[in-house]
Amino acid sequence: MNQDMLALVSIVTAGATIALGSIGPALGQGRAVAQALDAIARQPDAANQITRTLFVGLAMVESTAIYCLVVALVLLFANPLLG
Amino acid sequence: MNGDYFARDLLELGPLTITDTLVVSLALSVLLAGLGAIAMRFPGPREVLEVAYETLERSVREMVAVDAGPLVPLVLTLWAFILSANLVGLLPLVSSPTRDLSITTALALISFFAGHVFAFRQQGWRYLKHYLKPNPLMLPFNIIGELSRTLALALRLFGNILSGELIAAILLYVAGLLLPVPLMLLSVLTAVVQAYIFGVLTLVFAASSVHVVAGSPPGEDGGEEPPPSSPANPTPTLEGTAS
């Protein structure tokens, strides 16, 4: 009974982790891409540098979502509390 | 079917566990180095590799304001290894070594120590001062930031590659044969971008600690060690895959 409850809570939490954790990075990445497109439209010459910085920035923003993914994966596949 | 997504244990040697990702990554390293060494014997491939190396080296050097000479071979090697490690997962029966957190952690540690050795060689002990930079109260936060970005480096690569393979596997299980194909195309893109980002972040993190200390232009030409024609050996292996 206890183990079943624990598994249930883990699955629900994993879903909630991904759902809530992807909202912030999605908004941030959308904003970053929009700004970068704006900048490229203004200054096509600097497109290379802007793209490079954009990729690095997107990777940094994305890492919070990746943390959530790792937590969710641990809860689902490598849960330390479940026997 | 649960354990298949993570590293599989092949055999145990006392306390050591040999996983399939370890075998694949060692094979990949030997293959890259061997192909590079063989290609350097023949004039034709050799010239192709040299041109590719010089192009990549120039673009790497342009990325940061400080002289990144000693870091260029490391960054290019990271690109070559991570790119081939990410892409090898697309072959049937072979799993990406970067799907294993241990291997991405090892790569992140290499990047961490390389950054500090680079900064130390450029600046001596003075580079430690940038931990006190805005004011000494920020010391713990600077240290935490340093550690967390190394952790993020490892987790980012691991999470991206693992999630790509998981999504393909789940779709295959749920929907059938052809549906995962577009997503696998997407994971090719992810593989290239993640390899690029890992190298660039290594470079940027290493350069940032130097740059902050230097601050003034004279530090920038960093004439301590003239590294222009770096080793010929590690270079050829990179372009074999990078181009």
Side-chain angles (χ1 to χ4, degrees):
Chain A
M1 178 59 205
N2 201 6
Q3 287 285 309
D4 286 353
M5 204 64 195
L6 212 53
L8 183 68
V9 171
S10 298
I11 293 170
V12 171
T13 312
T17 308
I18 275 295
L20 294 177
S22 52
I23 294 174
L27 290 177
Q29 288 197 337
R31 199 175 148 75
V33 173
Q35 295 280 344
L37 282 179
D38 197 28
I40 291 177
R42 279 169 207 270
Q43 279 190 309
D45 295 341
N48 272 339
Q49 199 171 1
I50 292 171
T51 314
R52 201 159 62 212
T53 319
L54 175 69
F55 272 127
V56 175
L58 283 185
M60 307 286 276
V61 174
E62 204 183 36
S63 60
T64 42
I66 295 292
Y67 288 155
C68 291
L69 175 73
V70 171
V71 169
L73 286 180
V74 165
L75 282 178
L76 288 179
F77 294 117
N79 198 324
L81 300 177
L82 293 176
Chain B
M1 98 178 253
N2 163 355
D4 284 357
Y5 304 128
F6 297 94
R8 275 178 292 252
D9 297 349
L10 290 186
L11 73 160
E12 307 242 350
L13 293 179
L16 272 180
T17 307
I18 309 290
T19 58
D20 60 338
T21 51
L22 179 66
V23 174
V24 174
S25 74
L26 283 179
L28 216 52
S29 312
V30 171
L31 195 70
L32 282 177
L35 279 182
I38 290 171
M40 286 303 273
R41 297 278 173 86
F42 303 102
R46 185 187 167 116
E47 273 174 26
V48 173
L49 289 183
E50 281 172 353
V51 169
Y53 178 73
E54 279 170 13
T55 315
L56 287 174
E57 186 190 22
R58 209 176 313 122
S59 68
V60 169
R61 277 173 182 273
E62 279 170 5
M63 280 178 199
V64 286
V66 296
D67 177 26
L71 283 176
V72 172
L74 174 71
V75 172
L76 295 184
T77 311
L78 280 176
W79 276 351
F81 178 74
I82 297 176
L83 182 66
S84 52
N86 290 348
L87 288 180
V88 85
L90 292 175
L91 300 177
L93 299 180
V94 184
S95 61
S96 293
T98 40
R99 202 183 52 171
D100 189 353
L101 188 55
S102 310
I103 284 175
T104 58
T105 307
L107 290 171
L109 283 179
I110 291 173
S111 149
F112 175 79
F113 286 114
H116 284 275
V117 169
F118 173 70
F120 183 78
R121 279 172 62 185
Q122 297 284 82
Q123 302 276 327
W125 290 108
R126 277 184 302 141
Y127 93 98
L128 286 177
K129 256 194 291 185
H130 87 95
Y131 286 109
L132 307 173
K133 213 41 184 200
N135 58 52
L137 275 183
M138 298 298 279
L139 176 67
F141 300 102
N142 280 332
I143 291 175
I144 292 172
E146 194 84 26
L147 295 179
S148 82
R149 71 190 186 188
T150 308
L151 180 71
L153 208 56
L155 284 184
R156 181 181 306 119
L157 185 57
F158 164 72
N160 272 294
I161 302 306
L162 181 66
S163 68
E165 298 209 348
L166 268 181
I167 288 169
I170 290 172
L171 272 186
L172 185 67
Y173 182 66
V174 172
L177 190 58
L178 286 179
L179 201 65
V181 172
L183 280 151
M184 288 174 79
L185 289 179
L186 191 68
S187 77
V188 172
L189 180 71
T190 311
V192 176
V193 168
Q194 290 304 319
Y196 175 75
I197 280 172
F198 198 100
V200 171
L201 284 182
T202 300
L203 186 70
V204 168
F205 289 158
S208 72
S209 50
V210 173
H211 198 55
V212 171
V213 188
S216 50
E220 285 199 354
D221 42 29
E224 270 104 320
E225 71 263 18
S229 58
S230 307
N233 255 348
T235 56
T237 60
L238 329 158
E239 281 73 34
T241 50
S243 51

